[in-house]
Amino acid sequence: MNVDDVRRLKGVRKITVLTAYDYQIAKIIDAAGIDMILVGDSLGMVVLGYEDTKQVTMEDMIRHIQAVARGVRSAIVVGDLPIHSYDTVEDALANAGRLMEAGAHAVKLEGNRPDIVKALIERGIPVQGHLGLLPQTAQSMKVKGKRRSEAERIIADAKKLDSLGVFSIVLECIPMDLARRITEAVETPTIGIGAGVHCDGQVLVMNDMIGMDDGYSPRHANVYLDLNDLIGKAVKSYIEDVKAERFPADRHSFH
Ligand code: KIV
C-alpha cells in the first residue's frame, strides 16, 4: 500500500483505517490486512489520559509513530501533526519531516490550510486532510455542517484540499448527506468517522472499537469487543490466584 494505491481505491472498494499507538496493536492490525494506520493525536485521550488532543506534543507523536512503524509491514502509516506544530509553513515542514523520519508515510492536519498543504506536498510529503469536527480547535464535540452556510464552507474546503493534491480527506462528525456530497465532489478518497456510509473509507479509534473505555462508546463507533470487561475479569482472576497461592504453580517455577 502507498498513497497512490489509496487514491486508486476510490470507487473500487471501501478503504479501511484504524488508529494505533503502539507496536503490538500495529502488528496485529497490519497482519489482519488494514489499509491504513493512523497514529492519531487521539493518543492524548486514549493513551495519555488527557481531556482532549490539545496537550499532545511532537515528542509524543514521534515516540508512538516509531513504535507503530516497527510493527507495520504493509499498511500506510499516517502521523497526526499535533496542535501548534504547523502554525507556520516553516514549522509544518520541519515537524512533518520529523514525523516522516519517525516512520510515517504521510501526515494529517486539521482544517483548510492551503499554504501549509501546498508546501508539504511540494516537499514530497503526502498529506491527509481533516474536515468537519476538528478536535484541536473545536469548542464543542457537536456534529458540524448542519447549518447550510457551514456545510457549504466544508464542501469548499474539501474542494480546495482536493485541488492541492491531498491523498485523502478525513470527514469527522458531519451529516451523512453532506459527506455524500463531498465524496461525489472530490477526486480524492474521503475517510469517514461519524460521517455515514457514503464515504470512500472508514476510520475508527482502535480503543473505541475494542471497547477499552468503561461503558463509554461514541455514537459513531462500532464496538467489536468488550476488552474493558475481559481485562477486568482477567485481572480479578490473577489477584485471586496470587492471594490463594495458585499462582505461580510448579510449571511457572525454576528448579
Ligand atoms: O486523532 C485521531 O484519532 C483522529 C481520528 C479521529 C480521525 O484524528
Side-chain angles (χ1 to χ4, degrees):
M1 267 284 169
N2 60 41
V3 293
D4 291 328
D5 296 328
V6 172
R7 279 201 190 93
R8 278 192 287 269
L9 284 175
K10 186 172 176 108
V12 176
R13 71 152 167 84
K14 298 285 184 182
I15 299 159
T16 59
V17 189
L18 280 170
T19 68
Y21 316 96
D22 68 79
Y23 166 76
Q24 285 191 331
I25 293 285
K27 201 169 159 194
I28 294 168
I29 65 180
D30 182 65
I34 202 79
D35 293 321
M36 200 187 302
I37 296 180
L38 170 65
V39 188
D41 60 1
S42 50
L43 142 81
M45 287 96 83
V46 301
V47 177
L48 302 176
Y50 296 138
E51 282 276 298
D52 52 39
T53 61
K54 294 181 176 64
Q55 295 183 63
V56 175
T57 63
M58 274 298 296
E59 282 59 42
D60 295 330
M61 292 308 304
I62 287 170
R63 170 65 62 91
H64 288 272
I65 288 169
Q66 286 170 335
V68 165
R70 284 184 206 112
V72 170
R73 295 285 164 272
S74 24
I76 296 184
V77 177
V78 180
D80 243 341
L81 278 163
I83 188 166
H84 298 314
S85 69
Y86 53 103
D87 286 349
T88 65
V89 169
E90 292 69 31
D91 286 352
L93 287 171
N95 287 320
R98 292 173 73 200
L99 298 190
M100 301 290 280
E101 266 168 36
H105 304 123
V107 300
K108 174 165 84 58
L109 57 87
E110 295 186 7
N112 181 13
R113 303 288 307 278
D115 50 338
I116 307 280
V117 171
K118 189 165 172 284
L120 290 171
I121 293 176
E122 277 173 7
R123 182 68 68 84
I125 298 176
V127 177
Q128 181 173 63
H130 184 156
L131 297 174
L133 177 63
L134 306 177
Q136 290 178 1
T137 48
Q139 302 299 317
S140 81
M141 298 306 270
K142 287 198 186 122
V143 172
K144 295 286 178 280
K146 282 191 162 179
R147 273 183 293 115
R148 196 189 163 122
S149 57
E150 200 177 32
E152 295 307 323
R153 208 204 58 237
I154 297 173
I155 295 175
D157 288 351
K159 286 184 179 168
K160 182 71 192 171
L161 291 178
D162 191 37
S163 72
L164 292 171
V166 296
F167 80 95
S168 55
I169 304 174
V170 169
L171 298 177
E172 180 165 355
C173 291
I174 61 171
M176 61 187 287
D177 193 54
L178 174 57
R180 180 188 57 72
R181 288 176 65 199
I182 295 169
T183 301
E184 286 171 4
V186 296
E187 280 178 22
T188 200
T190 57
I191 309 292
I193 176 162
V197 72
H198 303 297
C199 296
D200 297 306
Q202 295 293 325
V203 55
L204 270 187
V205 170
M206 184 66 192
N207 295 48
D208 292 340
M209 198 205 89
I210 58 178
M212 284 290 279
D213 208 338
D214 185 12
Y216 169 74
S217 154
R219 173 180 165 142
H220 61 254
N222 213 20
V223 183
Y224 290 82
L225 260 184
D226 190 351
L227 216 48
N228 185 289
D229 185 57
L230 288 175
I231 293 174
K233 283 182 179 146
V235 172
K236 280 187 183 135
S237 301
Y238 169 73
I239 292 169
E240 281 165 19
D241 283 351
V242 170
K243 286 184 178 167
E245 298 184 23
R246 284 190 296 267
F247 176 81
D250 196 54
R251 69 178 190 284
H252 304 117
S253 309
F254 302 97
H255 297 284

